[in-house]
Amino acid sequence: MREDVENLDIKDVTANWVNAAVLQHQIDERIKALADLSHTPLFFGRLDYLHAPGADKAEGAEGERFYIGRRHVHDAEGDPMVIDWRAPVSQPFYRASKKDPMDVGLRRRFGYTGGDLTAYEDEHLSDPSEAAATSKLLQQEIERPRVGPMRDIVATIQPEQDEIVRSGLSGSVCVQGGPGTGKTAVGLHRVAYLLYAHRERLARTGTLVIGPNKSFLHYIEQVLPALGELEVKQATVDDLVAHVEVRGTDDATAAVVKGDARMAEVLRRAVRSHVTLPTEGVVVVRGSRRWRVPAYELETIVGELLDRDIRYGAAREALPQRIAHAVLVQMERSGEAPDDRVQDAVARNTAVKAAVKAIWPPVDPAKLVLRLLTDADFLAVHADGILDEDEQKEILWSKPVRSVKSARWAPADAVLIDEATDLVQRTHSLGHVVLDEAQDLSPMQYRAVGRRCTTGSATVLGDLAQGTTPWATRSWDEALTHLGKGDAVIEELTAGFRVPTDVITYASRLLPHIAPGLTPVASVRENPGFFEVRPTTADEQVVDACEELLRNEGSIGLIAADARIPALTEALTAAGLTYLGPGEETTAETRLTLVPASLAKGLEYDYVVLDEPQAVVDGEPDERTGLRRLYVALTRAVSGLTVTHAAPLPQQLA
């Protein structure tokens, strides 16, 4: 298939060089999508239908066989050999069961080792004499060691995950899922499914995956290309709102106030305060005639634009046309017959331009936010009845700032500028947005993401128990309201495929303290995993724990409180152990990654050494946030966890 595309000759089929360039780009993208992936087979399953799908199921009707894979594969004649996993005919591979065979006589799973076919496993779903059993190949695939970036779960998608993956484009979905439930993979596969089912529409409107940090995005970036999807952009929330250079930080209290949804109304008031009602009329001179629009008529025009509550910039662009229209009405009354060209000329008239500048001056969003944060009187006027005096003092900068460029903007300030920018000029909306680790966003950050999908849909992924910011969301209903997707369906994933039973059971001791009422994850893995709590007296013993785990196959993560990283770096170097930073791809030679607890979210390793749990808790501004950070760190392991500690463990783990 790839060679067919590579051999296409487009010399005689393009009208000009522009068409040729566009067509060549499309060909290049198609070749990329058809690239071979090392150790990745073209198919992983087979379905034997009792009857041909869609055919009359009368007695004697012949069945049909389909091989299921990551993408569609056809032979030289164009006949399908492998069916794309997203096609409707492939759905029973994920949904069929002994209770509901979906007209499938046999489902076969193929097992691979390094790209070589090494096993297969059959389920005769329509045979009443065969009892339902847990798939051994499925278990092996789930528990297979992880080296390198995140891999797709296309061969192991479960029925409850498949329902979310195949939900329609028009509706938004929120997935609450504990550690190891596959919520991130489900979100990415949902994007791949939507691109398959609505390719033309999403090609026009665009798709975006939003992650918590660059390390996380680097970790997941290969999943969609492995499924043949290359057009999905990835970004962090900070990337979306990068209107200014962020060089400063806020303390937790100030960041919470700036992230509060009430700031949207403060900004709206501040933007609209620039409109000044006219006190004088406008006189337009055309030839020998003078046309006057009186102040009261101008006031009516301005009042109508304000009442419509449209974007500040759009209203500013409409104002000269409205004034020009008022002049044209007078011209028509006097017997003239002006057309659109005359109206445009009047709108560009010097007197009209001067009036617009005085009534509805341009607003620079960054300058506006800077004034709010540095001018106590300006903030007090527009925050009156919204923020109390203490809250206003928290967000005011103590030192004067000369300009937007010299200001030391904090991340929360950039979000405020993005809100102000949208009040002036509408933000471009995409067809679909995936928001991962959503529980850590502030209400204002939710609004920033929501602006990117006002005319599209969203897939929101997160775990309330893993909220590790002071402004972490308290409920999905509240978060979805700020996102502008209050009608989204909330789904909960509780079956754990990644974290071993003993590890998730230990970590779940924290749930009553960090997320009361949340359903604990139930591990479906047969292997209970390796788990040990080991007292230590020196950093060298932590290194010893890493060396022991390196004797196993797979990746190792050493997770520690951020403040402990320098000491552990020194200990690893002294021991001659090479290691990577979070998000860097592990290799056969270097399988150990040193991970600050603040960057551990969303990552996974075969084995984890967690250093000093109490230090992880103490590294956060409050105990609840610290315990949530610890919950994240405890649940990064796929096969085994060693907890090392010199200080006493947090009492919640007792």
Side-chain angles (χ1 to χ4, degrees):
M1 289 170 66
R2 188 172 60 251
E3 287 171 358
D4 286 346
V5 181
E6 289 172 341
N7 293 331
L8 286 175
D9 185 355
I10 62 171
K11 291 177 187 172
D12 300 323
V13 297
T14 53
N16 52 52
W17 69 269
V18 176
N19 288 347
V22 171
L23 186 54
Q24 187 59 53
H25 174 73
Q26 292 174 338
I27 289 172
D28 292 342
E29 290 297 296
R30 178 64 174 159
I31 292 170
K32 283 184 195 173
L34 290 171
D36 285 328
L37 298 170
S38 59
H39 308 312
T40 303
L42 285 175
F43 63 93
F44 50 79
R46 191 183 103 188
L47 289 176
D48 289 5
Y49 278 88
L50 297 176
H51 309 88
D56 184 11
K57 296 180 182 179
E59 194 69 33
E62 288 188 16
E64 199 164 350
R65 174 177 296 170
F66 298 96
Y67 285 87
I68 313 300
R70 283 169 171 74
R71 63 191 74 176
H72 171 83
V73 182
H74 60 247
D75 61 17
E77 283 71 46
D79 293 326
M81 298 178 68
V82 179
I83 305 298
D84 194 301
W85 66 277
R86 298 166 287 189
V89 77
S90 303
Q91 188 171 333
F93 184 78
Y94 303 107
R95 301 267 188 103
S97 64
K98 294 292 288 185
K99 287 184 179 178
D100 182 14
M102 301 177 72
D103 199 44
V104 173
L106 179 141
R107 172 169 57 201
R108 174 169 290 177
R109 300 181 192 274
F110 295 98
Y112 291 87
T113 303
D116 294 328
L117 179 64
T118 54
Y120 69 89
E121 183 181 72
D122 288 348
E123 297 171 87
H124 298 87
L125 298 176
S126 298
D127 184 352
S129 65
E130 184 178 293
T134 303
S135 167
K136 297 292 184 185
L137 283 181
L138 206 59
Q139 286 288 340
Q140 290 170 11
E141 175 63 21
I142 289 170
E143 296 175 14
R144 181 160 57 91
R146 284 149 164 76
V147 175
M150 181 181 183
R151 61 172 183 256
D152 64 72
I153 61 165
V154 66
T156 62
I157 293 172
Q158 299 299 292
E160 65 272 19
Q161 296 173 325
D162 191 63
E163 286 185 25
I164 298 169
V165 167
R166 294 177 193 265
S167 52
L169 176 61
S170 58
S172 293
V173 180
C174 175
V175 183
Q176 158 62 40
T181 54
K183 56 185 178 295
T184 297
V186 166
L188 295 175
H189 285 69
R190 174 160 155 74
V191 172
Y193 171 77
L194 292 176
L195 285 167
Y196 174 87
H198 307 278
R199 188 165 301 280
E200 288 188 13
R201 179 175 169 185
L202 288 177
R204 292 194 308 272
T205 56
T207 51
L208 175 68
V209 174
I210 302 172
N213 51 55
K214 297 290 186 185
S215 297
F216 179 83
L217 292 177
H218 180 71
Y219 178 62
I220 68 170
E221 67 184 356
Q222 294 304 317
V223 173
L224 288 167
L227 301 172
E229 301 299 345
L230 306 170
E231 297 300 316
V232 180
K233 292 182 173 61
Q234 296 183 353
T236 64
V237 174
D238 290 342
D239 293 333
L240 298 183
V241 299
H243 303 285
V244 291
E245 184 183 357
V246 173
R247 296 181 294 148
T249 56
D250 282 318
D251 62 38
T253 308
V256 168
V257 176
K258 290 178 181 179
D260 194 297
R262 293 174 296 162
M263 287 300 299
E265 177 58 23
V266 175
L267 289 165
R268 193 186 76 86
R269 288 183 183 181
V271 168
R272 289 168 67 96
S273 72
H274 289 76
V275 178
T276 305
L277 291 177
T279 55
E280 297 180 357
V282 176
V283 177
V284 177
V285 178
R286 282 185 62 80
S288 61
R289 303 292 300 271
R290 294 163 62 89
W291 309 97
R292 178 181 175 80
V293 181
Y296 71 85
E297 192 170 347
L298 288 176
E299 189 173 332
T300 301
I301 292 171
V302 172
E304 288 174 352
L305 288 172
L306 287 171
D307 290 342
R308 286 182 62 191
D309 203 23
I310 58 177
R311 296 296 193 282
Y312 184 93
R316 188 174 187 275
E317 291 172 4
L319 181 57
Q321 290 290 337
R322 294 292 185 89
I323 296 173
H325 178 73
V327 172
L328 257 67
V329 169
Q330 294 183 31
M331 289 180 175
E332 289 169 349
R333 285 175 183 162
S334 67
E336 294 190 22
D339 56 15
D340 290 344
R341 288 174 297 176
V342 175
Q343 181 168 330
D344 289 339
V346 173
R348 294 192 300 270
N349 182 274
T350 304
V352 174
K353 284 183 177 180
V356 170
K357 187 175 182 179
I359 297 168
W360 213 293
V363 170
D364 182 300
K367 288 181 179 177
L368 174 79
V369 173
L370 185 63
R371 187 179 175 192
L372 276 173
L373 298 177
T374 56
D375 186 336
D377 293 336
F378 188 66
L379 177 62
V381 168
H382 301 300
D384 182 42
I386 300 175
L387 303 179
D388 61 35
E389 287 187 17
D390 290 338
E391 289 173 321
Q392 292 178 37
K393 287 178 183 176
E394 281 292 343
I395 65 173
L396 276 170
W397 291 357
S398 55
K399 297 179 181 178
V401 178
R402 285 181 299 176
S403 67
V404 168
K405 284 190 176 180
S406 64
R408 292 185 63 83
W409 298 104
D413 301 328
V415 180
L416 296 179
I417 294 171
D418 190 70
E419 179 84 27
T421 302
D422 185 69
L423 288 167
V424 174
Q425 204 72 41
R426 184 181 295 278
T427 304
H428 174 66
S429 176
L430 299 165
H432 192 77
V433 169
V434 175
L435 175 60
D436 204 356
E437 300 295 349
Q439 72 280 347
D440 274 340
L441 269 60
S442 70
M444 290 298 286
Q445 287 176 316
Y446 278 118
R447 290 175 62 88
V449 174
R451 285 192 283 278
R452 271 76 186 177
C453 56
T454 49
T455 58
S457 54
T459 300
V460 181
L461 312 165
D463 179 12
L464 296 178
Q466 295 186 61
T468 51
T469 55
W471 50 83
T473 192
R474 289 167 292 195
S475 75
W476 289 123
D477 286 334
E478 181 183 321
L480 292 167
T481 300
H482 294 312
L483 194 69
K485 304 295 180 185
D487 57 349
V489 177
I490 301 175
E491 303 280 0
E492 188 171 7
L493 296 175
T494 57
F497 303 98
R498 173 169 56 79
V499 187
T501 303
D502 289 354
V503 175
I504 196 64
T505 301
Y506 185 70
S508 293
R509 295 180 184 183
L510 298 175
L511 281 180
H513 308 280
I514 60 176
L518 211 59
T519 305
V521 172
S523 178
V524 299
R525 295 178 48 170
E526 293 184 350
N527 180 3
F530 168 79
F531 174 65
E532 179 189 14
V533 178
R534 182 185 296 184
T536 59
T537 55
D539 292 342
E540 289 74 20
Q541 291 172 293
V542 180
V543 175
D544 291 342
C546 293
E547 289 178 326
E548 289 173 23
L549 292 178
L550 281 167
R551 294 171 194 151
N552 300 308
E553 185 184 1
S555 58
I556 314 296
L558 171 54
I559 303 177
D562 293 32
R564 288 274 297 145
I565 295 299
L568 292 174
T569 298
E570 193 175 316
L572 290 170
T573 304
L577 276 183
T578 58
Y579 60 90
L580 303 166
E584 294 180 10
E585 194 167 321
T586 53
T587 64
E589 293 75 32
T590 307
R591 296 182 288 121
L592 175 64
T593 305
L594 178 58
V595 188
S598 62
L599 296 179
K601 189 170 295 180
L603 305 179
E604 58 183 30
Y605 303 93
D606 285 293
Y607 294 90
V608 166
V609 176
L610 174 59
D611 170 73
E612 294 295 354
Q614 188 61 54
V616 174
V617 177
D618 294 341
E620 299 299 327
D622 60 85
E623 185 182 59
R624 187 184 186 195
T625 305
L627 290 172
R628 286 181 166 185
R629 182 77 70 191
L630 177 58
Y631 181 74
V632 171
L634 284 167
T635 53
R636 300 303 96 200
V638 176
S639 298
L641 170 68
T642 298
V643 177
T644 59
H645 67 101
L649 292 170
Q651 61 179 7
Q652 292 85 355
L653 285 177

